[in-house]
Amino acid sequence: MSQTPKEILYIGTYSEKESEGLYVLDFNRSELSARTIQTVQDKKSPTFLALHPNEKFLYAAYREGKDKNDPAGTIVAYAIDKKTGKLSEINQVSSVGASPCHISVDPSGQVVFVSHYQGGNLSTFKILESGGISEAVSFVQHEGSSVHPNQTKPHMHAMIPSPDGHWVYASDLGIDQILKYKVNPKKGSVGKKPEIFSTKAGAGPRHFILHPDLPYAYSLEELSSTVAVYQVNSSNGDLRFLDRVDMLSPEIQSDYNAAADIHLSVDGKWLYASNRGQDNLAIYQVDQDNGLLSLQGHVSSGGQHPRNFKVDEKGQLLLVANMESDNVVFFRLNNQTGMPEATGKTIAIPRAVFIEQLFLD
């Protein structure tokens, strides 16, 4: 009989309210419980994490600078113990920009992309044979502003590579733009002249996701609490706007809302997006012919301020990190309706803001 693979959860946090930094959890799927097997506190506030495609390495974006007087953040590369899932540092470098808020890895496993909210810029790093990372290879400063009070300057928020690795889509909340950069995997760099796709003024594109099978992409817009739908040109990666849908529930009155995170189901039939303020998830059905979205309903996040969530790679569960209520909440996914169903199971993690998942043989 084949042995059930060991499951690990990596939880990123803000280093506040007794948080111990980056949490490594041994996850019990049958009981929906987890125990902490390691905490890592190399720097303060590891708020975003990214696995290497070979699942041997993990990269963490820390808000704290590498040196005492460094206004930028720190990127730390970790080796993953293949038996336990525990982390050991390979190296760390300055992120170059201020307040790194997102980190991703290109599909070939050669480049790390980092977005900086306060700095309004992006940087890229070459992945070394050891799994460590070079000093920054590219650094691009965005310029501009838009109409919302939170848009007085650029606020880079996410870099999402195309499946073939030729392009990376950079969402800048501050200037209402999605910028498509050409990627040079061998050098670990991006080109200097991106294609620019402007969004609706005041929308604030925050996160971006590409459909795994269909030529469509979805942009979560933080300031307008909307999801924009784009058709993706298969030959050159260009985006063509198709539609925009509301994320808010008319049944909840809230003075404040900020859209946070967006993910597709494993089969690509459902899309999920989180609201901070209404503190819920909006669930949409994805039309498999034209990529358009139809709202199925809303589900409470089970806490306050659902900054990030994770769709289980097995397609069975959805895990939500609620920052203000210091918990990770487990939902079961109904594959027929797409709706997350409450399980009553949670784990306490101070200032939890990011979830990554790893299966060990």
mmCIF file of all heavy atoms in Angstrom, residues 90-114:
data_model
loop_
_atom_site.group_PDB
_atom_site.id
_atom_site.type_symbol
_atom_site.label_atom_id
_atom_site.label_comp_id
_atom_site.label_asym_id
_atom_site.label_seq_id
_atom_site.Cartn_x
_atom_site.Cartn_y
_atom_site.Cartn_z
ATOM 1 N N ILE A 90 19.699 29.257 3.158
ATOM 2 C CA ILE A 90 20.781 29.175 2.177
ATOM 3 C C ILE A 90 21.506 30.504 2.118
ATOM 4 O O ILE A 90 22.717 30.580 2.301
ATOM 5 C CB ILE A 90 20.249 28.794 0.780
ATOM 6 C CG1 ILE A 90 19.487 27.471 0.827
ATOM 7 C CG2 ILE A 90 21.407 28.712 -0.227
ATOM 8 C CD1 ILE A 90 18.771 27.136 -0.467
ATOM 9 N N ASN A 91 20.764 31.570 1.851
ATOM 10 C CA ASN A 91 21.343 32.919 1.880
ATOM 11 C C ASN A 91 20.247 33.955 1.933
ATOM 12 O O ASN A 91 19.058 33.635 1.822
ATOM 13 C CB ASN A 91 22.281 33.151 0.685
ATOM 14 C CG ASN A 91 21.528 33.380 -0.621
ATOM 15 O OD1 ASN A 91 20.451 32.821 -0.851
ATOM 16 N ND2 ASN A 91 22.091 34.196 -1.495
ATOM 17 N N GLN A 92 20.645 35.201 2.113
ATOM 18 C CA GLN A 92 19.695 36.307 2.115
ATOM 19 C C GLN A 92 20.320 37.513 1.435
ATOM 20 O O GLN A 92 21.527 37.738 1.500
ATOM 21 C CB GLN A 92 19.228 36.651 3.525
ATOM 22 C CG GLN A 92 20.310 37.007 4.513
ATOM 23 C CD GLN A 92 19.735 37.372 5.876
ATOM 24 O OE1 GLN A 92 19.539 38.537 6.185
ATOM 25 N NE2 GLN A 92 19.451 36.357 6.693
ATOM 26 N N VAL A 93 19.471 38.287 0.743
ATOM 27 C CA VAL A 93 19.918 39.481 0.035
ATOM 28 C C VAL A 93 18.906 40.593 0.250
ATOM 29 O O VAL A 93 17.750 40.345 0.596
ATOM 30 C CB VAL A 93 20.101 39.229 -1.486
ATOM 31 C CG1 VAL A 93 21.141 38.151 -1.741
ATOM 32 C CG2 VAL A 93 18.769 38.866 -2.139
ATOM 33 N N SER A 94 19.340 41.829 0.014
ATOM 34 C CA SER A 94 18.425 42.965 0.086
ATOM 35 C C SER A 94 17.412 42.871 -1.055
ATOM 36 O O SER A 94 17.758 42.531 -2.186
ATOM 37 C CB SER A 94 19.193 44.282 -0.024
ATOM 38 O OG SER A 94 18.300 45.374 -0.162
ATOM 39 N N SER A 95 16.145 43.202 -0.749
ATOM 40 C CA SER A 95 15.123 43.213 -1.807
ATOM 41 C C SER A 95 15.257 44.452 -2.689
ATOM 42 O O SER A 95 14.627 44.533 -3.731
ATOM 43 C CB SER A 95 13.725 43.172 -1.187
ATOM 44 O OG SER A 95 13.393 44.413 -0.604
ATOM 45 N N VAL A 96 16.046 45.426 -2.239
ATOM 46 C CA VAL A 96 16.352 46.701 -2.898
ATOM 47 C C VAL A 96 15.220 47.716 -2.722
ATOM 48 O O VAL A 96 15.457 48.883 -2.432
ATOM 49 C CB VAL A 96 16.695 46.538 -4.400
ATOM 50 C CG1 VAL A 96 17.138 47.880 -4.990
ATOM 51 C CG2 VAL A 96 17.782 45.496 -4.603
ATOM 52 N N GLY A 97 13.967 47.299 -2.870
ATOM 53 C CA GLY A 97 12.847 48.215 -2.711
ATOM 54 C C GLY A 97 12.289 48.192 -1.297
ATOM 55 O O GLY A 97 12.586 47.319 -0.480
ATOM 56 N N ALA A 98 11.446 49.195 -0.986
ATOM 57 C CA ALA A 98 10.845 49.319 0.340
ATOM 58 C C ALA A 98 9.541 48.549 0.426
ATOM 59 O O ALA A 98 8.698 48.631 -0.463
ATOM 60 C CB ALA A 98 10.597 50.792 0.668
ATOM 61 N N SER A 99 9.383 47.802 1.506
ATOM 62 C CA SER A 99 8.140 47.103 1.824
ATOM 63 C C SER A 99 7.756 46.044 0.791
ATOM 64 O O SER A 99 6.719 46.131 0.129
ATOM 65 C CB SER A 99 6.997 48.107 1.977
ATOM 66 O OG SER A 99 5.851 47.499 2.494
ATOM 67 N N PRO A 100 8.569 44.979 0.637
ATOM 68 C CA PRO A 100 8.198 43.895 -0.282
ATOM 69 C C PRO A 100 6.906 43.231 0.180
ATOM 70 O O PRO A 100 6.751 42.890 1.352
ATOM 71 C CB PRO A 100 9.382 42.939 -0.207
ATOM 72 C CG PRO A 100 10.045 43.227 1.103
ATOM 73 C CD PRO A 100 9.835 44.693 1.339
ATOM 74 N N CYS A 101 5.960 43.055 -0.745
ATOM 75 C CA CYS A 101 4.640 42.538 -0.379
ATOM 76 C C CYS A 101 4.257 41.296 -1.174
ATOM 77 O O CYS A 101 3.206 40.706 -0.914
ATOM 78 C CB CYS A 101 3.580 43.619 -0.574
ATOM 79 S SG CYS A 101 3.479 44.241 -2.274
ATOM 80 N N HIS A 102 5.080 40.885 -2.152
ATOM 81 C CA HIS A 102 4.755 39.722 -2.971
ATOM 82 C C HIS A 102 6.040 39.148 -3.547
ATOM 83 O O HIS A 102 6.962 39.885 -3.893
ATOM 84 C CB HIS A 102 3.817 40.130 -4.104
ATOM 85 C CG HIS A 102 3.292 38.990 -4.925
ATOM 86 N ND1 HIS A 102 3.998 38.430 -5.972
ATOM 87 C CD2 HIS A 102 2.132 38.290 -4.848
ATOM 88 C CE1 HIS A 102 3.290 37.443 -6.501
ATOM 89 N NE2 HIS A 102 2.154 37.339 -5.838
ATOM 90 N N ILE A 103 6.096 37.828 -3.633
ATOM 91 C CA ILE A 103 7.249 37.145 -4.218
ATOM 92 C C ILE A 103 6.748 35.961 -5.033
ATOM 93 O O ILE A 103 5.779 35.298 -4.650
ATOM 94 C CB ILE A 103 8.254 36.708 -3.126
ATOM 95 C CG1 ILE A 103 9.533 36.128 -3.737
ATOM 96 C CG2 ILE A 103 7.625 35.737 -2.138
ATOM 97 C CD1 ILE A 103 10.656 35.953 -2.728
ATOM 98 N N SER A 104 7.363 35.730 -6.183
ATOM 99 C CA SER A 104 6.973 34.610 -7.042
ATOM 100 C C SER A 104 8.211 34.086 -7.754
ATOM 101 O O SER A 104 9.270 34.729 -7.781
ATOM 102 C CB SER A 104 5.905 35.042 -8.055
ATOM 103 O OG SER A 104 6.356 36.145 -8.819
ATOM 104 N N VAL A 105 8.072 32.886 -8.352
ATOM 105 C CA VAL A 105 9.184 32.224 -9.049
ATOM 106 C C VAL A 105 8.719 31.856 -10.450
ATOM 107 O O VAL A 105 7.591 31.398 -10.638
ATOM 108 C CB VAL A 105 9.631 30.953 -8.296
ATOM 109 C CG1 VAL A 105 10.804 30.290 -9.004
ATOM 110 C CG2 VAL A 105 10.002 31.285 -6.850
ATOM 111 N N ASP A 106 9.598 32.063 -11.439
ATOM 112 C CA ASP A 106 9.192 31.732 -12.805
ATOM 113 C C ASP A 106 9.093 30.221 -12.968
ATOM 114 O O ASP A 106 9.710 29.451 -12.207
ATOM 115 C CB ASP A 106 10.172 32.352 -13.814
ATOM 116 C CG ASP A 106 11.345 31.460 -14.129
ATOM 117 O OD1 ASP A 106 12.119 31.150 -13.200
ATOM 118 O OD2 ASP A 106 11.492 31.054 -15.290
ATOM 119 N N PRO A 107 8.321 29.731 -13.953
ATOM 120 C CA PRO A 107 8.062 28.291 -14.080
ATOM 121 C C PRO A 107 9.309 27.439 -14.311
ATOM 122 O O PRO A 107 9.313 26.260 -13.960
ATOM 123 C CB PRO A 107 7.118 28.217 -15.292
ATOM 124 C CG PRO A 107 6.485 29.550 -15.378
ATOM 125 C CD PRO A 107 7.517 30.517 -14.911
ATOM 126 N N SER A 108 10.357 28.027 -14.884
ATOM 127 C CA SER A 108 11.588 27.263 -15.115
ATOM 128 C C SER A 108 12.459 27.189 -13.869
ATOM 129 O O SER A 108 13.478 26.491 -13.860
ATOM 130 C CB SER A 108 12.392 27.885 -16.264
ATOM 131 O OG SER A 108 12.945 29.138 -15.887
ATOM 132 N N GLY A 109 12.089 27.932 -12.830
ATOM 133 C CA GLY A 109 12.842 27.894 -11.581
ATOM 134 C C GLY A 109 14.158 28.635 -11.633
ATOM 135 O O GLY A 109 15.078 28.319 -10.876
ATOM 136 N N GLN A 110 14.227 29.678 -12.469
ATOM 137 C CA GLN A 110 15.483 30.414 -12.619
ATOM 138 C C GLN A 110 15.430 31.848 -12.097
ATOM 139 O O GLN A 110 16.473 32.468 -11.909
ATOM 140 C CB GLN A 110 15.889 30.450 -14.099
ATOM 141 C CG GLN A 110 16.132 29.074 -14.712
ATOM 142 C CD GLN A 110 16.565 29.180 -16.164
ATOM 143 O OE1 GLN A 110 17.707 29.506 -16.459
ATOM 144 N NE2 GLN A 110 15.640 28.911 -17.073
ATOM 145 N N VAL A 111 14.223 32.382 -11.881
ATOM 146 C CA VAL A 111 14.083 33.790 -11.519
ATOM 147 C C VAL A 111 13.123 33.949 -10.340
ATOM 148 O O VAL A 111 12.077 33.295 -10.290
ATOM 149 C CB VAL A 111 13.543 34.629 -12.704
ATOM 150 C CG1 VAL A 111 13.669 36.128 -12.392
ATOM 151 C CG2 VAL A 111 14.254 34.297 -13.993
ATOM 152 N N VAL A 112 13.488 34.839 -9.410
ATOM 153 C CA VAL A 112 12.597 35.269 -8.344
ATOM 154 C C VAL A 112 12.160 36.691 -8.645
ATOM 155 O O VAL A 112 12.979 37.560 -8.957
ATOM 156 C CB VAL A 112 13.288 35.209 -6.966
ATOM 157 C CG1 VAL A 112 12.478 35.956 -5.910
ATOM 158 C CG2 VAL A 112 13.480 33.761 -6.523
ATOM 159 N N PHE A 113 10.831 36.932 -8.565
ATOM 160 C CA PHE A 113 10.254 38.257 -8.809
ATOM 161 C C PHE A 113 9.741 38.821 -7.485
ATOM 162 O O PHE A 113 9.041 38.130 -6.746
ATOM 163 C CB PHE A 113 9.071 38.168 -9.776
ATOM 164 C CG PHE A 113 9.374 37.493 -11.084
ATOM 165 C CD1 PHE A 113 8.963 36.186 -11.312
ATOM 166 C CD2 PHE A 113 10.055 38.164 -12.090
ATOM 167 C CE1 PHE A 113 9.221 35.556 -12.530
ATOM 168 C CE2 PHE A 113 10.323 37.549 -13.301
ATOM 169 C CZ PHE A 113 9.907 36.245 -13.526
ATOM 170 N N VAL A 114 10.051 40.088 -7.211
ATOM 171 C CA VAL A 114 9.625 40.710 -5.955
ATOM 172 C C VAL A 114 8.954 42.059 -6.236
ATOM 173 O O VAL A 114 9.467 42.869 -7.010
ATOM 174 C CB VAL A 114 10.811 40.915 -4.993
ATOM 175 C CG1 VAL A 114 10.352 41.607 -3.707
ATOM 176 C CG2 VAL A 114 11.451 39.573 -4.653
#
